[in-house]
Amino acid sequence: MKSGTFPRAALVSLGCPKNLVDSEVALGLLQQAGFTITLDESEADVLIVNTCSFIEDAKQESIETILELAEEKRTGSARLLVVAGCLAQNFGDELRREIPEIDLVIGTGMVPRIGQICKKVLERKKTDRELTQTGWPDLPVQSVWVNEPGFLYTEKTPRIRATLPHVAYVKIAEGCNNRCSYCIIPRLRGKLRSRTAESIVAECRELARQGVKEITLIAQDTTAYGQDLPSSQDKLVPVLRKLAKLESLHWIRLLYTYPDSITPELLTCIAEEPRICKYIDMPVQHINDGILQAMNRRSSRKKIEAALDLIREILPDAVLRTSLMVGFPGEGKREFEELRDFVAAAQFDRLGVFSFSAQEETPAARLAGKVSQKVKEQRQNEILQLQADISTRKNHQLIGTSQEVIIDLIEHEGGNSAGCTALGRTSGHAPDIDGLVYVQGEGDALCFPGQILPVRIVRAGTYDLFAERLNID
């Protein structure tokens, strides 16, 4: 870092949209503390990775990214390597001990101080170096900043969005009280802490003013929002009703709604408000009652099927998405076949499958009846293939229908502006999760990112749709 210049920070965000919001807040706080934000890691004075550790694959990706940035620090201009997020919260001391290139470990509860901490340590390192050169010993610098998670951002917290300009995520609550036996989120994120309705609406109003057309509301359990707050207005349905009145917004989407909390009131609200996407993301994890009980889920097969029936009664055209876990301890052939038959019968529009990975210090890690990695992979592939067939059939049923899409990106063919393809999504496609709609067009007159277009579906793949633009006079 040259004398008189602002220190530069680059951040790599891993994991889910909830982690992305944390990264955006961290960027805003770094900028507030005097850092210049850069996308070029080679020119950064501070390299930061916001890690995920929800499943084993995410943990491995986090470690690999840390090691890559450690090499970048060794060969480049970076002075600090900072590890933040869930992996930092869970393994702070171990990370610092095992990877000496790491200068700072900052847990999930220390996000509001990330700018101050990085700036202070960067300045202290410079002082240490100058004192060492004059014969003074190195001064100790605190390297692990982990506390009990309690942070909750508001509409007043600085934030630099890293999404497309017309798309934004809004975290309406932090933490979780569900205590699923396989999950370490309560330890990493703390107990449920909900923002006020006033704060959420104020943030969404400002985002709309900035040109955001689509807002996705997120939390560990979105339907648990407001359970920790006394006011009847600080609940999910009243918040949705208020957001639906923001005319500049085109779509409002909910992610992570739990089957136990799917109520007629919530579904009626979604049905009555045109701006709320008829898109239900309801992670069920499993359908066998014994497995659900071992998972410490509040649901049962009867409750899950009742929720699905209620959704299809009140929102018959809703797009349904779920997440499943295979290979949980005790999942034998009979339990898996029950899950597979349920997937075939339920006919979800979208479906994700995870293999169980034991998280340290969780009750599930101590359960008997472990399933081999080979069997887990076979079961995961079997469910994915079954869902691919369902998805292909459902997509083909859309051929010939008219749809509304929001355009995310324009791709010019071979750099030639005479022909291009627009990549967009219907209200049934969540950003960065589901498939895309490819809209063929001609020249620069086609459209622009953020535009809402009427299209006709002309072709369908397993996950993506292909469309032509409709000319509406």
Side-chain angles (χ1 to χ4, degrees), residues 171-431:
K171 193 187 291 192
I172 63 175
E174 183 60 274
C176 186
N177 292 344
N178 287 337
R179 300 289 174 180
C180 298
S181 67
Y182 53 83
C183 185
I184 59 172
I185 292 300
R187 190 165 82 239
L188 303 182
R189 297 285 179 173
K191 295 180 180 179
L192 174 69
R193 307 180 301 284
S194 302
R195 296 171 58 187
T196 65
E198 182 181 9
S199 173
I200 295 166
V201 174
E203 181 182 15
C204 291
R205 183 181 293 112
E206 174 59 22
L207 289 169
R209 189 193 68 78
Q210 295 172 11
V212 170
K213 300 287 185 64
E214 177 182 6
I215 281 178
T216 300
L217 303 181
I218 55 176
Q220 301 298 335
D221 175 357
T222 308
T223 39
Y225 166 75
Q227 291 179 1
D228 57 322
L229 299 178
S231 172
S232 62
Q233 292 305 300
D234 293 326
K235 300 294 183 283
L236 186 57
V237 170
V239 168
L240 288 173
R241 294 287 191 186
K242 292 173 182 176
L243 294 181
K245 292 180 171 61
L246 299 179
E247 295 183 359
S248 297
L249 290 180
H250 194 74
W251 286 342
I252 301 161
R253 187 185 306 277
L254 283 171
L255 291 184
Y256 319 119
T257 60
Y258 275 54
D260 316 69
S261 305
I262 299 293
T263 63
E265 181 189 19
L266 173 62
L267 296 175
T268 300
C269 171
I270 295 172
E272 291 177 348
E273 298 291 357
R275 291 188 177 91
I276 303 178
C277 297
K278 282 42 177 179
Y279 180 101
I280 306 296
D281 172 46
M282 186 179 74
V284 302
Q285 305 303 346
H286 215 279
I287 198 62
N288 175 265
D289 283 335
I291 298 296
L292 289 168
Q293 186 175 6
M295 288 179 167
N296 198 34
R297 301 282 288 181
R298 299 190 305 267
S299 295
S300 64
R301 176 166 190 148
K302 184 177 180 180
K303 288 180 180 179
I304 291 170
E305 291 179 334
L308 288 171
D309 289 343
L310 187 64
I311 292 167
R312 285 172 168 146
E313 176 187 345
I314 299 176
L315 288 171
D317 297 325
V319 171
L320 278 167
R321 190 181 206 287
T322 196
S323 298
L324 303 175
M325 183 184 293
V326 296
F328 192 83
E331 184 192 64
K333 182 179 179 182
R334 180 179 62 83
E335 288 80 8
F336 172 71
E337 288 177 349
E338 183 180 353
L339 178 63
R340 183 193 60 202
D341 293 344
F342 166 72
V343 171
Q347 297 284 298
F348 289 97
D349 300 275
R350 322 266 188 255
L351 186 149
V353 188
F354 300 93
S355 293
F356 170 75
S357 60
Q359 300 292 314
E360 296 179 25
E361 299 179 28
T362 61
R366 301 188 293 271
L367 292 176
K370 299 290 190 295
V371 179
S372 72
Q373 187 61 34
K374 180 179 179 181
V375 171
K376 283 192 271 191
E377 290 175 2
Q378 289 173 343
R379 291 176 179 177
Q380 183 180 31
N381 290 335
E382 188 171 342
I383 296 290
L384 287 174
Q385 183 55 59
L386 173 58
Q387 181 59 33
D389 295 339
I390 295 170
S391 180
T392 299
R393 184 170 63 255
K394 283 180 170 285
N395 275 353
H396 275 81
Q397 292 172 353
L398 295 174
I399 294 175
T401 64
S402 298
Q403 302 286 333
E404 186 180 66
V405 299
I406 189 167
I407 302 303
D408 287 338
L409 183 67
I410 308 296
E411 285 189 347
H412 294 286
E413 299 171 4
N416 184 358
S417 62
C420 59
T421 300
L423 280 63
R425 294 173 291 103
T426 71
S427 62
H429 294 88

Side-chain angles (χ1 to χ4, degrees), residues 32-33 68 99 156 162 166 191 315 319 338 403 430 459:
Q32 185 183 62
E68 289 171 3
I99 308 177
K156 297 178 182 178
H166 56 277
K191 295 180 180 179
L315 288 171
V319 171
E338 183 180 353
Q403 302 286 333
R459 190 160 55 89

